[in-house]
Amino acid sequence: MIIVMRADVEPQDVDSVKSKIQELGLEVYESKGINYHIIGLIGDTSHVDDESFKTMRGVEKVIHVQEPFKRASRVFHPENSVINVNGTSIGGEKLAVIAGPCSVESKAQITEIAVEVKKAGAGFLRGGAFKPRTSPYSFQGLKEEGLEYLKYAKEITQLPIVVELMSADKLELFEEHVDVIQIGARNMQNFDLLRAVGQTRKPVLLKRGLSATIEEFLTAAEYILAGGNENVILCERGIRTFETYTRNTLDISAVPVIKKLSHLPVIVDPSHASGIWWMVEPLAMAAIAVGADGLMIEVHNDPKNALCDGNQSITPENFRHLMDRIKDLAKIQNRKI
Ligand code: PEP
Ligand code: MN
């Protein structure tokens, strides 16, 4: 439930509304812009009497929010959220391009790729150190050593690093060394992990679960926001469908749907969505065309011998090509790259 206050509302009238909400045992969520002043009620509002608010001074109207997500909802927060990562932003005019290998394999590998993607115009470096692999016998990542190599690559390129966190016991380590904490598709509904990253103030990149609906995706984001961490970036990375040609099916319509329902930035990962390297560029173009705030692209200097996700990794040369094409599209969309 939200209460829309009049444009000329007096501060004491706002305070009265807030006190009334607190007396009902509910939490207050306040959102103010140039043309709006909204007070949200968070908690079980099923027994709240609308009339008692409608008659209060300064109240314009009372709106019921059906969705289970509140803080993630655009109704609660009409303006787009822009997430600040070490002085650069995600969700603003500039498109965020996160590029790098699926996994860190060696210091030389991650450094070489980092230098290449930086030259091509990427704004962030990705690299998995702790990998969620389907088989326990597959390469599981270099773990802490991988994190060290990522830090070195960051030092060389100044690119902020995006790394997947698999369990809360590594949170402190990530808070110290990582710029954006990635929560992978397989952990999208790991509620303890979501609560844990909700306690930090580090930006969190939340990937859509393999078979999660958009509502479940936004409600997972709500867990992080409910902990007080407002720095959430969403990532559409394809969902399971009956189609087997591609690894997943990129749900391109999720981008405009999420933009309508939520104020959080949305980026697209065409690499995991397709699983096929030559589809990465056309899907990346589609993502920017429908209004995504950025991309996550797997880039490898030797895809054939990659320890993880080689089939969907593009070479630095193909990444340069993709970036050139995205630049033209960005102009049409009034975005920068
Ligand atoms: C990844 O980004 O390396 C990854 C494992 O992605 P997802 O969680 O989307 O499968
Ligand atoms: Mn991968």
Side-chain angles (χ1 to χ4, degrees), residues 199-220:
Q199 293 309 309
T200 77
R201 294 299 173 262
K202 278 264 168 185
V204 176
L205 177 78
L206 178 67
K207 298 189 87 175
R208 182 176 179 184
L210 276 68
S211 55
T213 63
I214 292 170
E215 185 170 293
E216 286 164 344
F217 188 21
L218 292 173
T219 312

PDB file of all heavy atoms in Angstrom, residues 199-220:
ATOM      1  N   GLN A 199      22.718  -7.235   3.945  1.00  0.00           N
ATOM      2  CA  GLN A 199      23.339  -6.547   5.087  1.00  0.00           C
ATOM      3  C   GLN A 199      24.547  -5.712   4.688  1.00  0.00           C
ATOM      4  O   GLN A 199      25.036  -4.911   5.475  1.00  0.00           O
ATOM      5  CB  GLN A 199      23.764  -7.575   6.158  1.00  0.00           C
ATOM      6  CG  GLN A 199      22.595  -8.280   6.838  1.00  0.00           C
ATOM      7  CD  GLN A 199      21.559  -7.301   7.367  1.00  0.00           C
ATOM      8  OE1 GLN A 199      21.896  -6.354   8.080  1.00  0.00           O
ATOM      9  NE2 GLN A 199      20.300  -7.508   7.009  1.00  0.00           N
ATOM     10  N   THR A 200      25.072  -5.924   3.476  1.00  0.00           N
ATOM     11  CA  THR A 200      26.218  -5.128   3.043  1.00  0.00           C
ATOM     12  C   THR A 200      25.679  -3.904   2.290  1.00  0.00           C
ATOM     13  O   THR A 200      24.472  -3.785   2.080  1.00  0.00           O
ATOM     14  CB  THR A 200      27.135  -5.900   2.062  1.00  0.00           C
ATOM     15  OG1 THR A 200      26.518  -5.920   0.775  1.00  0.00           O
ATOM     16  CG2 THR A 200      27.390  -7.320   2.511  1.00  0.00           C
ATOM     17  N   ARG A 201      26.574  -3.037   1.866  1.00  0.00           N
ATOM     18  CA  ARG A 201      26.157  -1.925   1.008  1.00  0.00           C
ATOM     19  C   ARG A 201      26.864  -2.018  -0.338  1.00  0.00           C
ATOM     20  O   ARG A 201      26.868  -1.089  -1.121  1.00  0.00           O
ATOM     21  CB  ARG A 201      26.437  -0.577   1.697  1.00  0.00           C
ATOM     22  CG  ARG A 201      25.578  -0.373   2.956  1.00  0.00           C
ATOM     23  CD  ARG A 201      24.073  -0.385   2.645  1.00  0.00           C
ATOM     24  NE  ARG A 201      23.247  -0.348   3.834  1.00  0.00           N
ATOM     25  CZ  ARG A 201      22.685  -1.418   4.405  1.00  0.00           C
ATOM     26  NH1 ARG A 201      22.885  -2.635   3.910  1.00  0.00           N
ATOM     27  NH2 ARG A 201      21.932  -1.296   5.471  1.00  0.00           N
ATOM     28  N   LYS A 202      27.491  -3.164  -0.590  1.00  0.00           N
ATOM     29  CA  LYS A 202      28.143  -3.402  -1.883  1.00  0.00           C
ATOM     30  C   LYS A 202      27.083  -3.624  -2.944  1.00  0.00           C
ATOM     31  O   LYS A 202      26.068  -4.275  -2.673  1.00  0.00           O
ATOM     32  CB  LYS A 202      28.950  -4.707  -1.811  1.00  0.00           C
ATOM     33  CG  LYS A 202      30.283  -4.561  -1.188  1.00  0.00           C
ATOM     34  CD  LYS A 202      31.365  -4.365  -2.224  1.00  0.00           C
ATOM     35  CE  LYS A 202      32.599  -3.925  -1.478  1.00  0.00           C
ATOM     36  NZ  LYS A 202      33.724  -3.575  -2.263  1.00  0.00           N
ATOM     37  N   PRO A 203      27.305  -3.133  -4.174  1.00  0.00           N
ATOM     38  CA  PRO A 203      26.361  -3.451  -5.241  1.00  0.00           C
ATOM     39  C   PRO A 203      26.269  -4.964  -5.452  1.00  0.00           C
ATOM     40  O   PRO A 203      27.275  -5.663  -5.375  1.00  0.00           O
ATOM     41  CB  PRO A 203      26.978  -2.768  -6.460  1.00  0.00           C
ATOM     42  CG  PRO A 203      27.831  -1.682  -5.902  1.00  0.00           C
ATOM     43  CD  PRO A 203      28.366  -2.208  -4.602  1.00  0.00           C
ATOM     44  N   VAL A 204      25.043  -5.420  -5.689  1.00  0.00           N
ATOM     45  CA  VAL A 204      24.796  -6.840  -5.910  1.00  0.00           C
ATOM     46  C   VAL A 204      24.175  -7.023  -7.290  1.00  0.00           C
ATOM     47  O   VAL A 204      23.181  -6.366  -7.627  1.00  0.00           O
ATOM     48  CB  VAL A 204      23.831  -7.403  -4.839  1.00  0.00           C
ATOM     49  CG1 VAL A 204      23.493  -8.867  -5.124  1.00  0.00           C
ATOM     50  CG2 VAL A 204      24.428  -7.268  -3.439  1.00  0.00           C
ATOM     51  N   LEU A 205      24.783  -7.903  -8.089  1.00  0.00           N
ATOM     52  CA  LEU A 205      24.225  -8.242  -9.406  1.00  0.00           C
ATOM     53  C   LEU A 205      23.475  -9.560  -9.224  1.00  0.00           C
ATOM     54  O   LEU A 205      24.096 -10.604  -9.002  1.00  0.00           O
ATOM     55  CB  LEU A 205      25.351  -8.401 -10.425  1.00  0.00           C
ATOM     56  CG  LEU A 205      24.897  -8.817 -11.813  1.00  0.00           C
ATOM     57  CD1 LEU A 205      24.325  -7.629 -12.568  1.00  0.00           C
ATOM     58  CD2 LEU A 205      26.055  -9.380 -12.616  1.00  0.00           C
ATOM     59  N   LEU A 206      22.149  -9.484  -9.296  1.00  0.00           N
ATOM     60  CA  LEU A 206      21.323 -10.675  -9.062  1.00  0.00           C
ATOM     61  C   LEU A 206      20.877 -11.250 -10.394  1.00  0.00           C
ATOM     62  O   LEU A 206      20.196 -10.569 -11.177  1.00  0.00           O
ATOM     63  CB  LEU A 206      20.107 -10.284  -8.211  1.00  0.00           C
ATOM     64  CG  LEU A 206      19.105 -11.399  -7.916  1.00  0.00           C
ATOM     65  CD1 LEU A 206      19.712 -12.481  -7.017  1.00  0.00           C
ATOM     66  CD2 LEU A 206      17.838 -10.823  -7.254  1.00  0.00           C
ATOM     67  N   LYS A 207      21.250 -12.518 -10.647  1.00  0.00           N
ATOM     68  CA  LYS A 207      20.868 -13.149 -11.914  1.00  0.00           C
ATOM     69  C   LYS A 207      19.546 -13.894 -11.754  1.00  0.00           C
ATOM     70  O   LYS A 207      19.265 -14.448 -10.688  1.00  0.00           O
ATOM     71  CB  LYS A 207      21.989 -14.070 -12.395  1.00  0.00           C
ATOM     72  CG  LYS A 207      23.289 -13.292 -12.667  1.00  0.00           C
ATOM     73  CD  LYS A 207      24.353 -14.109 -13.346  1.00  0.00           C
ATOM     74  CE  LYS A 207      24.209 -14.086 -14.841  1.00  0.00           C
ATOM     75  NZ  LYS A 207      25.327 -14.803 -15.515  1.00  0.00           N
ATOM     76  N   ARG A 208      18.760 -13.880 -12.812  1.00  0.00           N
ATOM     77  CA  ARG A 208      17.455 -14.542 -12.778  1.00  0.00           C
ATOM     78  C   ARG A 208      17.637 -16.058 -12.701  1.00  0.00           C
ATOM     79  O   ARG A 208      18.448 -16.633 -13.433  1.00  0.00           O
ATOM     80  CB  ARG A 208      16.665 -14.179 -14.031  1.00  0.00           C
ATOM     81  CG  ARG A 208      15.268 -14.771 -14.062  1.00  0.00           C
ATOM     82  CD  ARG A 208      14.522 -14.282 -15.279  1.00  0.00           C
ATOM     83  NE  ARG A 208      13.196 -14.841 -15.362  1.00  0.00           N
ATOM     84  CZ  ARG A 208      12.372 -14.624 -16.383  1.00  0.00           C
ATOM     85  NH1 ARG A 208      12.775 -13.849 -17.393  1.00  0.00           N
ATOM     86  NH2 ARG A 208      11.169 -15.162 -16.412  1.00  0.00           N
ATOM     87  N   GLY A 209      16.866 -16.709 -11.858  1.00  0.00           N
ATOM     88  CA  GLY A 209      16.932 -18.162 -11.714  1.00  0.00           C
ATOM     89  C   GLY A 209      16.533 -18.876 -12.996  1.00  0.00           C
ATOM     90  O   GLY A 209      15.780 -18.327 -13.817  1.00  0.00           O
ATOM     91  N   LEU A 210      17.003 -20.091 -13.147  1.00  0.00           N
ATOM     92  CA  LEU A 210      16.786 -20.861 -14.376  1.00  0.00           C
ATOM     93  C   LEU A 210      15.307 -21.012 -14.729  1.00  0.00           C
ATOM     94  O   LEU A 210      14.952 -21.075 -15.898  1.00  0.00           O
ATOM     95  CB  LEU A 210      17.392 -22.265 -14.225  1.00  0.00           C
ATOM     96  CG  LEU A 210      18.872 -22.417 -14.521  1.00  0.00           C
ATOM     97  CD1 LEU A 210      19.728 -21.696 -13.486  1.00  0.00           C
ATOM     98  CD2 LEU A 210      19.272 -23.874 -14.576  1.00  0.00           C
ATOM     99  N   SER A 211      14.471 -21.101 -13.706  1.00  0.00           N
ATOM    100  CA  SER A 211      13.042 -21.257 -13.998  1.00  0.00           C
ATOM    101  C   SER A 211      12.210 -20.318 -13.132  1.00  0.00           C
ATOM    102  O   SER A 211      11.124 -20.666 -12.692  1.00  0.00           O
ATOM    103  CB  SER A 211      12.614 -22.710 -13.793  1.00  0.00           C
ATOM    104  OG  SER A 211      12.966 -23.101 -12.492  1.00  0.00           O
ATOM    105  N   ALA A 212      12.764 -19.135 -12.911  1.00  0.00           N
ATOM    106  CA  ALA A 212      12.056 -18.173 -12.061  1.00  0.00           C
ATOM    107  C   ALA A 212      11.165 -17.258 -12.908  1.00  0.00           C
ATOM    108  O   ALA A 212      11.567 -16.808 -13.981  1.00  0.00           O
ATOM    109  CB  ALA A 212      13.071 -17.311 -11.300  1.00  0.00           C
ATOM    110  N   THR A 213       9.981 -16.996 -12.399  1.00  0.00           N
ATOM    111  CA  THR A 213       9.122 -16.008 -13.051  1.00  0.00           C
ATOM    112  C   THR A 213       9.677 -14.617 -12.738  1.00  0.00           C
ATOM    113  O   THR A 213      10.502 -14.457 -11.819  1.00  0.00           O
ATOM    114  CB  THR A 213       7.680 -16.066 -12.510  1.00  0.00           C
ATOM    115  OG1 THR A 213       7.730 -15.727 -11.108  1.00  0.00           O
ATOM    116  CG2 THR A 213       7.055 -17.442 -12.688  1.00  0.00           C
ATOM    117  N   ILE A 214       9.202 -13.632 -13.475  1.00  0.00           N
ATOM    118  CA  ILE A 214       9.660 -12.252 -13.223  1.00  0.00           C
ATOM    119  C   ILE A 214       9.268 -11.836 -11.795  1.00  0.00           C
ATOM    120  O   ILE A 214      10.031 -11.186 -11.093  1.00  0.00           O
ATOM    121  CB  ILE A 214       9.089 -11.299 -14.293  1.00  0.00           C
ATOM    122  CG1 ILE A 214       9.734 -11.632 -15.649  1.00  0.00           C
ATOM    123  CG2 ILE A 214       9.306  -9.838 -13.913  1.00  0.00           C
ATOM    124  CD1 ILE A 214       9.112 -10.937 -16.852  1.00  0.00           C
ATOM    125  N   GLU A 215       8.084 -12.262 -11.373  1.00  0.00           N
ATOM    126  CA  GLU A 215       7.657 -11.900 -10.016  1.00  0.00           C
ATOM    127  C   GLU A 215       8.578 -12.526  -8.961  1.00  0.00           C
ATOM    128  O   GLU A 215       8.950 -11.878  -7.984  1.00  0.00           O
ATOM    129  CB  GLU A 215       6.203 -12.336  -9.784  1.00  0.00           C
ATOM    130  CG  GLU A 215       5.689 -11.874  -8.440  1.00  0.00           C
ATOM    131  CD  GLU A 215       4.188 -12.083  -8.289  1.00  0.00           C
ATOM    132  OE1 GLU A 215       3.425 -11.411  -9.001  1.00  0.00           O
ATOM    133  OE2 GLU A 215       3.795 -12.912  -7.444  1.00  0.00           O
ATOM    134  N   GLU A 216       8.949 -13.789  -9.176  1.00  0.00           N
ATOM    135  CA  GLU A 216       9.885 -14.433  -8.229  1.00  0.00           C
ATOM    136  C   GLU A 216      11.246 -13.738  -8.241  1.00  0.00           C
ATOM    137  O   GLU A 216      11.896 -13.593  -7.198  1.00  0.00           O
ATOM    138  CB  GLU A 216      10.052 -15.920  -8.583  1.00  0.00           C
ATOM    139  CG  GLU A 216       8.846 -16.764  -8.218  1.00  0.00           C
ATOM    140  CD  GLU A 216       8.812 -18.125  -8.894  1.00  0.00           C
ATOM    141  OE1 GLU A 216       9.540 -18.351  -9.890  1.00  0.00           O
ATOM    142  OE2 GLU A 216       8.031 -18.983  -8.441  1.00  0.00           O
ATOM    143  N   PHE A 217      11.661 -13.316  -9.426  1.00  0.00           N
ATOM    144  CA  PHE A 217      12.938 -12.616  -9.584  1.00  0.00           C
ATOM    145  C   PHE A 217      12.917 -11.301  -8.777  1.00  0.00           C
ATOM    146  O   PHE A 217      13.818 -11.019  -7.981  1.00  0.00           O
ATOM    147  CB  PHE A 217      13.126 -12.353 -11.087  1.00  0.00           C
ATOM    148  CG  PHE A 217      14.455 -11.804 -11.519  1.00  0.00           C
ATOM    149  CD1 PHE A 217      15.599 -11.935 -10.738  1.00  0.00           C
ATOM    150  CD2 PHE A 217      14.580 -11.169 -12.758  1.00  0.00           C
ATOM    151  CE1 PHE A 217      16.827 -11.439 -11.174  1.00  0.00           C
ATOM    152  CE2 PHE A 217      15.791 -10.673 -13.200  1.00  0.00           C
ATOM    153  CZ  PHE A 217      16.909 -10.800 -12.406  1.00  0.00           C
ATOM    154  N   LEU A 218      11.854 -10.532  -8.952  1.00  0.00           N
ATOM    155  CA  LEU A 218      11.775  -9.249  -8.244  1.00  0.00           C
ATOM    156  C   LEU A 218      11.582  -9.444  -6.741  1.00  0.00           C
ATOM    157  O   LEU A 218      12.046  -8.631  -5.940  1.00  0.00           O
ATOM    158  CB  LEU A 218      10.656  -8.387  -8.839  1.00  0.00           C
ATOM    159  CG  LEU A 218      10.942  -7.892 -10.263  1.00  0.00           C
ATOM    160  CD1 LEU A 218       9.727  -7.197 -10.865  1.00  0.00           C
ATOM    161  CD2 LEU A 218      12.136  -6.930 -10.276  1.00  0.00           C
ATOM    162  N   THR A 219      10.945 -10.538  -6.364  1.00  0.00           N
ATOM    163  CA  THR A 219      10.749 -10.794  -4.934  1.00  0.00           C
ATOM    164  C   THR A 219      12.073 -11.246  -4.300  1.00  0.00           C
ATOM    165  O   THR A 219      12.333 -10.978  -3.122  1.00  0.00           O
ATOM    166  CB  THR A 219       9.610 -11.800  -4.716  1.00  0.00           C
ATOM    167  OG1 THR A 219       8.494 -11.379  -5.501  1.00  0.00           O
ATOM    168  CG2 THR A 219       9.164 -11.855  -3.263  1.00  0.00           C
ATOM    169  N   ALA A 220      12.921 -11.899  -5.105  1.00  0.00           N
ATOM    170  CA  ALA A 220      14.266 -12.251  -4.613  1.00  0.00           C
ATOM    171  C   ALA A 220      15.071 -10.960  -4.390  1.00  0.00           C
ATOM    172  O   ALA A 220      15.769 -10.815  -3.375  1.00  0.00           O
ATOM    173  CB  ALA A 220      14.968 -13.157  -5.627  1.00  0.00           C
TER     174      ALA A 220
END
